[in-house]
Amino acid sequence: MLPNSWTLQEVVALSLSSRITATEVRHLVERYSSLGELLANESGLAQRYRLDGSGLFSHREHSPLLDRAKHQLDRCADLSVQIVHYWDDAYPSLLREIFYPPTLLYVHGRLQPPDAAAIAIVGTRHCTEYGKMVTEQYAECFASAGIVVVSGLATGIDTYAHKATLKHGGITYAVVASGVDKINTGAQYALAQEIVTQGGAVLSEYPCGTSVQRAYFPRRNRIISGLACGTLVVESGERGGSLITAQFALDQSRELFAVPGSILAPTSEGTNLLIAQQKAQAAVSPELLLAELGV
């Protein structure tokens, strides 16, 4: 339930303001009993966030942001997208614990119970056959154990993780860096539909209609690791988005694992370095990884 007298439309309206962060939305919702009280007691705050005048209220009767929020709610309903807020009982428990949890999650599909065990599998888009085989082995084991496999719907390791999980009857979450309705490539769209059809979910903190932007990927990565009790990096170069996800996992006090590879393989430079620096445990088998997590 939302705190006090707030409505979902009002919270969505706040989140649509370009000047307010998810953390600030959460703090405002918890501090004030309603949007009306916020505007009545914090005129300076409202001006700073452009929540008054042309920003949220015009003549206190018509509101562009509230109208946009209503349009967003209608669009989500048309697309069968659920908006799960931070105070919702369905909100994933582990995600609520991270430093900057999203206030709103746009979910196409079905979330598992909030305390369901989940492990993230991430890696490079330009993976090797070795990386593909390892990903499929771990995803199969996790799926068979009833663990949700979380990844980012990108080509390469992400795609193999999702597909292997589905092949073995498991549940997988795909976290995207756009609106859940703005998945551009045909292959990714088809995979997203399969994930939803088989009981998983496509998630985003961005409203429907939001196109992907480069800056959204690092923010997306904190959600991937935040949903999981552990993150497995299969292959990664010395630089790459997978290492950003790995760092988020460490910052969130989650377990981090990396698959060792040849010291001659560019795609194993990042994973070998994580192990050498003792940031990640060497993942030598899925069974040992599950034992380490106590799952």
Side-chain angles (χ1 to χ4, degrees):
M1 296 288 292
L2 282 164
N4 302 311
S5 300
W6 284 87
T7 67
L8 183 58
Q9 182 180 353
E10 291 173 341
V11 177
V12 171
L14 281 183
S15 74
L16 293 176
S17 171
S18 60
R19 292 193 172 191
I20 187 168
T21 68
T23 300
E24 289 167 332
V25 169
R26 193 170 73 255
H27 289 167
L28 291 175
V29 170
E30 291 176 345
R31 180 175 180 182
Y32 297 97
S33 64
S34 66
L35 181 61
E37 186 194 7
L38 185 158
L39 295 172
N41 290 278
E42 292 285 357
S43 58
L45 187 72
Q47 290 175 358
R48 174 157 55 112
Y49 291 132
R50 294 181 180 173
L51 301 181
D52 58 352
S54 62
L56 187 57
F57 280 160
S58 282
H59 309 298
R60 297 282 173 148
E61 293 179 355
H62 179 71
S63 63
L65 277 183
L66 279 171
D67 283 348
R68 285 175 57 196
K70 177 61 165 58
H71 176 72
Q72 183 64 216
L73 292 174
D74 291 342
R75 184 169 187 172
C76 288
D78 291 342
L79 297 171
S80 299
V81 173
Q82 181 185 6
I83 303 178
V84 178
H85 56 74
Y86 177 83
W87 304 272
D88 198 314
D89 289 340
Y91 193 95
S93 300
L94 286 177
L95 187 61
R96 190 182 275 119
E97 296 176 2
I98 69 174
F99 291 117
Y100 302 108
T103 300
L104 300 175
L105 281 177
Y106 293 83
V107 181
H108 185 207
R110 185 167 67 89
L111 292 178
Q112 299 302 297
D115 57 352
I119 297 176
I121 300 178
V122 297
T124 179
R125 295 170 185 262
H126 308 289
C127 64
T128 65
E129 184 65 21
Y130 167 72
K132 174 179 178 292
M133 292 173 60
V134 169
T135 300
E136 291 173 342
Q137 178 189 13
Y138 276 80
E140 176 184 354
C141 180
F142 298 162
S144 299
I147 295 167
V148 179
V149 174
V150 184
S151 200
L153 201 68
T155 56
I157 297 298
D158 291 16
T159 291
Y160 293 128
H162 292 307
K163 287 186 174 181
T165 303
L166 296 174
K167 179 180 177 180
H168 296 282
I171 299 295
T172 182
Y173 292 165
V175 187
V176 297
S178 67
V180 296
D181 61 330
K182 297 293 283 186
I183 299 170
N184 296 325
T185 70
Q188 287 178 310
Y189 178 82
L191 180 54
Q193 295 306 305
E194 187 178 359
I195 289 171
V196 171
T197 300
Q198 294 200 27
V202 180
L203 297 81
S204 177
E205 66 178 321
Y206 300 106
C208 290
T210 304
S211 298
V212 65
Q213 295 187 29
R214 183 180 296 272
Y216 292 168
F217 284 98
R219 302 175 193 173
R220 180 276 307 264
N221 292 351
R222 87 188 193 286
I223 299 177
I224 292 176
S225 58
L227 286 164
C229 59
T231 293
L232 172 67
V233 185
V234 178
E235 283 187 320
S236 175
E238 191 176 1
R239 299 174 181 271
S242 300
L243 298 186
I244 296 176
T245 308
Q247 187 58 53
F248 276 126
L250 294 171
D251 293 342
Q252 294 161 354
S253 299
R254 305 293 164 80
E255 296 292 339
L256 180 63
F257 303 89
V259 176
S262 168
I263 62 173
L264 302 178
T267 51
S268 291
E269 288 180 357
T271 50
N272 288 342
L273 194 60
L274 287 173
I275 296 168
Q277 294 176 338
Q278 298 184 341
K279 292 182 177 180
Q281 299 182 57
V284 294
S285 81
E287 293 80 12
L288 288 175
L289 187 151
L290 292 181
E292 185 65 31
L293 287 174
V295 177

